[in-house]
C-alpha cells in the first residue's frame, strides 16, 4: 500500500475526517473527533509509515509476526502501533489494522457517542 492508497482507505471509513493539527508533514484521520490513524507525509528512513490504535495484546502478537509493525512512533506505546506501508504487510492486513483502530476509538467513546456513530449512514 502506498501513502495515497492509505489516505483513500482512511477517508472511506464511515465518518472519517482528515486534518493536520501537528505540523504540515503529519496527516491525521479522525472519527467522532478522535484520532484513529496518522501518517507522515515524508518518508522516515526512506519509508512511509502510519500509526494506529491497537489492542495491547494484539499489538504484541503482530510485532512478533511482522517486521513492518513496531511500537507506536511518537505515541503511547501501549495503545498505538506504527507500521511501514511497504513492508511485509499486505494491503488487506493494513486495512484490517485501520478498521481495528477505528473500533478501538469507538469503543472508548461514551455510549451515546457510540450509538451516534453506529447509526450514521
Amino acid at each position: 500500500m502506498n501513502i495515497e492508497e492509505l489516505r483513500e482507505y482512511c477517508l472511506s471509513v464511515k465518518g472519517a475526517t482528515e486534518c493536520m493539527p501537528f505540523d504540515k508533514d503529519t496527516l491525521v484521520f479522525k472519527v467522532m473527533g478522535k484520532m484513529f490513524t496518522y501518517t507522515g507525509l515524508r518518508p522516515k528512513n526512506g519509508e512511509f509509515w502510519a500509526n494506529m490504535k491497537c489492542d495491547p495484546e494484539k499489538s504484541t502478537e503482530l510485532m512478533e509476526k511482522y517486521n513492518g509493525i513496531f511500537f507506536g512512533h511518537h505515541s503511547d506505546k501501549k495503545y498505538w502501533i506504527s507500521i511501514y506501508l511497504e513492508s511485509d504487510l499486505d494491503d488487506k492486513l493494513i486495512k484490517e489494522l485501520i478498521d481495528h483502530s477505528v473500533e478501538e476509538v469507538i469503543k472508548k467513546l461514551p455510549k451515546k457517542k457510540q450509538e451516534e456513530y453506529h447509526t450514521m449512514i
Side-chain angles (χ1 to χ4, degrees):
M1 179 176 286
N2 65 40
I3 190 79
E4 190 56 39
E5 291 167 332
L6 174 85
R7 179 178 179 264
E8 287 174 19
Y9 189 76
C10 286
L11 288 174
S12 76
V13 169
K14 178 171 66 170
T17 60
E18 67 180 339
C19 59
M20 299 179 87
F22 303 123
D23 56 42
K24 62 184 171 97
D25 294 322
T26 307
L27 185 58
V28 174
F29 300 95
K30 296 181 177 185
V31 288
M32 304 298 290
K34 302 290 185 183
M35 285 195 313
F36 68 90
T37 300
Y38 63 96
T39 185
L41 296 177
R42 294 178 191 244
K44 177 182 168 76
N45 301 324
E47 298 183 75
F48 284 101
W49 56 272
N51 277 16
M52 52 203 65
K53 291 193 84 142
C54 190
D55 174 81
E57 288 182 28
K58 184 175 180 124
S59 296
T60 302
E61 292 171 19
L62 290 166
M63 285 186 268
E64 289 173 358
K65 189 172 181 181
Y66 297 98
N67 294 325
I69 300 177
F70 49 98
F71 286 115
H73 178 66
H74 297 302
S75 60
D76 182 339
K77 293 174 181 11
K78 183 175 181 180
Y79 297 105
W80 288 82
I81 57 171
S82 291
I83 64 166
Y84 281 121
L85 297 181
E86 297 177 14
S87 63
D88 58 341
L89 311 178
D90 63 22
D91 291 2
K92 181 177 185 252
L93 177 59
I94 294 172
K95 289 175 181 179
E96 288 172 5
L97 292 171
I98 292 167
D99 294 342
H100 174 70
S101 182
V102 172
E103 291 168 8
E104 289 295 297
V105 168
I106 298 303
K107 79 179 189 183
K108 300 281 182 168
L109 293 173
K111 294 287 183 206
K112 186 170 176 101
K113 287 286 190 183
Q114 288 181 35
E115 290 171 18
E116 183 182 329
Y117 180 77
H118 290 300
T119 59
M120 290 172 107
I121 295 174

